[in-house]
Amino acid sequence: MRIFFKSNGFILFLSLLIIGVALIGSPYNQSHNFLLKTAFFQTFILGLFLLFILRLFLFKRWQIRFPLRYPILIFCGYSLLSLLFSQYKYASFSGFLRVISFFLLYLLVVNVITDFKRVSFLVKTVIVSTGLVSLIGLLQVLGISFTAWIPAFPSRITSTFGNPNFLGSFLAITLPLTAVSYLSSANRKKLIYLAIFLLGFVGLLLTRSRGAIAASILSFLLLSGTIVFGRSRDFIVKRKPILLLGLLVVAVLVLFILVDSGAESITKR
């Protein structure tokens, strides 16, 4: 067990899990055996976490890293309240188990993968899965599908996720990581990251998921602002109250324009 958690075995195993979930398809897609995949995924994560706890017990190391503890605990508590007061207990319980499984996976990652090289390898794995999923989605445009079931959205690509909104959400999360890797790399790697980014960007547009596209735009605005503000740190520190007030004014104006223009579907998203 010590060898498994201290060597590259865990990081390789987790990388295969990331690519596997992306290629097999989300555990929550339209496949007829999605319940089996969901149960396998959650049981598997629970088993890994119990091995991690056993390792702590055997070697008497009870220090657990838990960054972002307060927002994460608040979110998990909110999910628990949603379950307790829900009128649809089964659906809410399924969602609650999903949150808990990802929470346990988060604790495993931040406690086991502490080396920079392993973190970098993990990010690259996510980017590779982005390229593979996007390529499968673009092949669907050409009439080539690797899935055993018929997608319910013939005019929108779904890749392995079975739903264009799920695929769009996945790409909206991973494309900023790909962009950062492109900006921070050089030579041949830069071209590889650029190719994956373009594949994912075209795939995002072909999902026609308005919510995912809106979220992607906001994430890239945040990314650009972080880069620009990071280079002018002294300016930000000295004028932080003015900048925060300006951002608040802009947000209120944008919200007012959207509501006043009758763009109901956009404001909901």
Side-chain angles (χ1 to χ4, degrees):
M1 185 162 40
R2 174 183 287 183
I3 295 175
F4 175 75
F5 281 106
K6 281 197 169 184
S7 67
N8 291 328
F10 182 76
I11 181 65
L12 289 173
F13 194 72
L14 190 60
S15 300
L16 290 174
L17 180 65
I18 291 173
I19 294 181
V21 168
L23 292 184
I24 295 172
S26 167
Y28 315 103
N29 61 22
Q30 298 171 359
S31 176
H32 65 279
N33 59 348
F34 74 97
L35 286 175
L36 180 61
K37 288 192 292 183
T38 300
F40 171 77
F41 175 77
Q42 294 177 352
T43 305
F44 189 74
I45 297 300
L46 178 61
L48 281 180
F49 186 76
L50 291 177
L51 282 176
F52 174 71
I53 296 298
L54 181 60
R55 175 204 177 199
L56 295 178
F57 178 78
L58 291 177
F59 300 110
K60 297 181 180 180
R61 297 177 181 176
W62 294 107
Q63 293 182 352
I64 299 180
R65 296 180 68 247
F66 192 0
L68 300 175
R69 67 181 65 185
Y70 294 114
I72 290 177
L73 288 176
I74 290 173
F75 181 74
C76 291
Y78 172 77
S79 300
L80 179 60
L81 288 175
S82 298
L83 170 62
L84 295 177
F85 294 98
S86 174
Q87 295 181 353
Y88 306 97
K89 297 295 183 183
Y90 175 78
S92 298
F93 183 69
S94 175
F96 181 72
L97 287 180
R98 186 185 314 177
V99 171
I100 295 301
S101 63
F102 286 125
F103 168 67
L104 296 181
L105 181 60
Y106 167 78
L107 287 179
L108 278 171
V109 170
V110 297
N111 282 279
V112 176
I113 305 176
T114 55
D115 182 77
F116 176 77
K117 291 183 179 179
R118 293 184 179 183
V119 173
S120 177
F121 185 77
L122 197 63
V123 172
K124 290 176 182 177
T125 303
V126 174
I127 294 174
V128 169
S129 69
T130 302
L132 293 174
V133 167
S134 302
L135 181 61
I136 292 174
L138 294 180
L139 288 176
Q140 287 180 345
V141 179
L142 303 176
I144 303 173
S145 180
F146 296 98
T147 55
W149 34 266
I150 301 175
F153 305 89
S155 61
R156 303 162 63 186
I157 69 170
T158 61
S159 188
T160 57
F161 286 83
N163 187 306
N165 296 322
F166 294 169
L167 174 60
S169 300
F170 174 79
L171 294 176
I173 293 172
T174 58
L175 282 180
L177 288 176
T178 309
V180 170
S181 299
Y182 167 76
L183 294 173
S184 60
S185 61
N187 302 328
R188 295 180 180 178
K189 289 183 179 180
K190 207 174 189 69
L191 294 176
I192 295 174
Y193 288 133
L194 179 61
I196 294 176
F197 177 81
L198 292 176
L199 276 175
F201 180 74
V202 173
L204 177 65
L205 295 179
L206 291 177
T207 63
R208 300 181 184 178
S209 174
R210 290 168 290 183
I213 292 173
S216 183
I217 292 173
L218 290 174
S219 66
F220 279 109
L221 287 175
L222 178 62
L223 176 62
S224 302
T226 301
I227 294 173
V228 173
F229 290 166
R231 293 177 178 176
S232 55
R233 191 181 309 170
D234 294 336
F235 177 82
I236 299 300
V237 171
K238 294 178 181 178
R239 296 168 177 80
K240 186 183 294 184
I242 298 177
L243 288 172
L244 291 176
L245 180 61
L247 289 174
L248 179 62
V249 171
V250 170
V252 171
L253 287 176
V254 170
L255 182 62
F256 176 79
I257 292 172
L258 288 174
V259 174
D260 188 62
S261 63
E264 184 181 358
S265 61
I266 297 178
T267 52
K268 281 183 178 180
R269 283 168 175 78

